[in-house]
Amino acid sequence: MVVQTSSPEIGAADADRQPPPAPEYNSWIGQDRSTDAAGIAMRREAAELVERVMKHYRDNTTHEAEDQWTEPVANYLDADRWQRETDAVHRSVPLPLAMSCELPGPGTYKALDVLGIPVLITRDRQGVVHAMINACRHRGAQLVEPGCGVSKRITCPYHSWSYDLAGELRGVYAEKTFGDVPREGRSLVRLPAGERAGIVFVSLDPAAEHDLDAWLGDLQPLLEGLRFADCHHYASRELLSPNWKVTLDGYLETYHFASLHPKTVFETNFSNMMAHDTWGPHQRLAAALRPIADVVDVPADQRDPGDLVGAIYWLFPGLAIAGTWRNKIAVSIVIPRSATESVTQQIILLREPAVTEEERQAADQFGEWFYEVVRDEDYATTYGVQRGLKALNGTDFVFGRNEPGLQHFHRTIHSLLDAASK
């Protein structure tokens, strides 16, 4: 796992910047021939979604909410509210913190920091996923550096206490002179973890008892049909980003494609044209891709959904999966750090491993395109939003009827805050 952290230059996107060359995605769903129930249901639902998006193209419309939504700018600024939000959201709900293929087999791990909590996710010898605090039970030293890796045993770099991949204490260096250490009382501090549809969920509350099936609801079969668990982890990077809500607001609408991405995203996607669906707190934005204009009169059974619709699945509170119907997938995990800063993990997945030099170059190009567009266009702009918040305090932002994803996101946060205050 490559971890590179950067933030955009001060200022909005540079109109004279030369954008990176557009990558080739290639459809996966059109070649999928799985005969199990999940695969069949996924393809049927994809065909129905194409029809919905195509109707928007024919009518030059987009999905609309019933009304506009106003959100006080103070809700992005107030440090006390940020603390209440992270308590009611990130410390209370199951967090999607990894894709299963980042831990591709027994003896693999992923380490990351979430709201100041060092989290270690592992896969043990039996292939079961665990999560724990990434801190030795001797003196609290960090066990492994952030990122993904392979290890048969986790050994503390400070005094060489060692743990298996389930977090059990297995070795105490020089125990004869240290004194006996009861193994059952010095395991790593565990965090509730579970795996569904190729995604690993972790709770920051050690006492939490989450029902992941209920949390995902009717979305789970669709995710299972997308076969994320069969993907290959190619690369990862990190970007610094502003307030987590400022950041995520940019992921949840297609209204900005023409103005902010004229030489990149807008060349392959129509702007302000999408279908929208929700499942509990989760949602999907299905953007119209340019080739949809060429198949308006083509029979449905001759269309490839992966060429016509860009389906972005978004799992609350901060996981976006783009390119879900294609051979190259871009995953973003947005994690708050403070009231003014978050960090975004970008994860590149491939349907098939990149073996040849040509395949690796194509995967690199895709990753570079995704990274540069987000950094130089999206985040350069949202950092500008962040800088303007104080001056706008006391006013409201307005989310249009054509921004239902933003409305659903903020409505969910309000609901969780209300429930936590009772």
Side-chain angles (χ1 to χ4, degrees):
M1 177 181 184
V2 178
V3 178
Q4 298 179 350
T5 303
S6 65
S7 57
E9 295 294 328
I10 293 176
D14 184 354
D16 296 325
R17 178 184 65 87
Q18 288 300 314
E24 290 187 2
Y25 284 80
N26 306 118
S27 174
W28 162 78
I29 194 172
Q31 285 72 53
D32 178 64
R33 295 294 182 267
S34 56
T35 58
D36 63 331
I40 293 171
M42 179 268 298
R43 291 194 299 274
R44 182 187 304 116
E45 202 264 351
E48 294 170 354
L49 187 58
V50 169
E51 291 299 326
R52 291 169 55 198
V53 176
M54 187 162 287
K55 186 177 188 311
H56 283 307
Y57 172 75
R58 290 191 184 103
D59 299 342
N60 193 25
T61 58
T62 189
H63 184 104
E64 294 182 25
E66 292 183 2
D67 206 344
Q68 295 177 338
W69 170 283
T70 56
E71 183 72 10
V73 172
N75 288 351
Y76 292 85
L77 283 169
D78 185 80
D80 177 67
R81 181 184 177 89
W82 178 85
Q83 186 65 59
R84 290 188 291 112
E85 285 176 350
T86 54
D87 287 344
V89 176
H90 298 85
R91 293 185 174 88
S92 298
V93 308
L95 302 178
L97 293 184
M99 303 302 290
S100 294
C101 59
E102 292 183 90
L103 299 94
T108 54
Y109 67 85
K110 178 181 181 178
L112 69 165
D113 183 272
V114 185
L115 286 171
I117 299 174
V119 176
L120 176 61
I121 307 170
T122 63
R123 193 180 297 280
D124 67 18
R125 289 184 179 181
Q126 288 71 44
V128 177
V129 162
H130 304 268
M132 54 209 79
I133 302 298
N134 184 16
C136 182
R137 292 300 306 282
H138 172 216
R139 299 259 291 280
Q142 177 176 276
L143 295 167
V144 297
E145 293 291 328
C148 295
V150 179
S151 181
K152 294 181 179 179
R153 184 169 288 196
I154 304 297
T155 301
C156 178
Y158 199 0
H159 297 97
S160 294
W161 283 32
S162 60
Y163 305 83
D164 64 20
L165 273 293
E168 299 286 345
L169 178 62
R170 294 301 183 188
V172 175
Y173 172 65
E175 189 170 9
K176 182 179 180 180
T177 56
F178 187 92
D180 292 339
V181 179
R183 299 301 192 261
E184 64 276 7
R186 290 292 171 180
S187 299
L188 297 180
V189 176
R190 291 183 174 83
L191 299 172
E195 195 169 14
R196 297 290 187 279
I199 303 167
V200 178
F201 297 84
V202 177
S203 174
L204 299 184
D205 178 3
E209 296 181 1
H210 292 300
D211 183 341
L212 290 179
D213 297 322
W215 178 245
L216 292 174
D218 292 338
L219 176 59
Q220 185 169 334
L222 295 179
L223 294 175
E224 290 172 346
L226 292 168
R227 315 289 184 193
F228 295 134
D230 298 331
C231 290
H232 302 267
H233 175 214
Y234 183 73
S236 295
R237 283 177 168 175
E238 287 189 351
L239 294 96
L240 295 179
S241 38
N243 170 278
W244 73 289
K245 293 188 298 184
V246 170
T247 300
L248 286 169
D249 283 351
Y251 283 81
L252 294 171
E253 43 90 357
T254 66
Y255 183 38
H256 70 279
F257 284 2
S259 52
L260 188 58
H261 304 299
K263 299 177 183 179
T264 53
V265 178
F266 187 53
E267 291 194 346
T268 57
N269 291 253
F270 286 98
S271 188
N272 197 37
M273 186 178 293
M274 68 169 189
H276 181 253
D277 297 281
T278 62
W279 298 266
H282 318 296
Q283 53 185 304
R284 178 183 62 198
L285 282 64
L289 301 180
R290 293 278 174 186
I292 206 168
D294 302 324
V295 297
V296 173
D297 298 320
V298 173
D301 60 358
Q302 297 179 26
R303 301 173 188 149
D304 187 336
D307 292 333
L308 308 179
V309 172
I312 302 173
Y313 285 81
W314 191 86
L315 273 63
F316 188 83
L319 172 69
I321 309 175
T324 53
W325 292 353
R326 297 177 172 187
N327 285 316
K328 299 181 183 70
I329 300 170
V331 178
S332 300
I333 303 176
V334 177
I335 302 170
R337 280 190 172 177
S338 70
T340 59
E341 186 177 71
S342 61
V343 63
T344 302
Q345 288 198 348
Q346 290 187 339
I347 305 162
I348 303 301
L349 309 183
L350 306 177
R351 293 288 180 182
E352 298 293 337
V355 177
T356 67
E357 182 62 26
E358 182 180 7
E359 290 169 341
R360 288 191 291 270
Q361 288 179 356
D364 288 340
Q365 181 186 1
F366 173 71
E368 285 296 324
W369 185 90
F370 179 59
Y371 182 76
E372 291 186 25
V373 167
V374 171
R375 181 193 63 189
D376 298 338
E377 296 176 6
D378 289 296
Y379 286 7
T381 300
T382 53
Y383 265 105
V385 173
Q386 181 77 47
R387 289 192 295 275
L389 289 177
K390 287 185 179 180
L392 292 173
N393 196 12
T395 67
D396 295 331
F397 286 150
V398 57
F399 304 148
R401 298 198 318 271
N402 60 342
E403 299 178 308
L406 289 172
Q407 296 193 26
H408 187 69
F409 172 54
H410 287 270
R411 187 176 290 113
T412 301
I413 296 172
H414 282 263
S415 177
L416 289 171
L417 281 173
D418 290 343
S421 65
K422 293 179 180 178

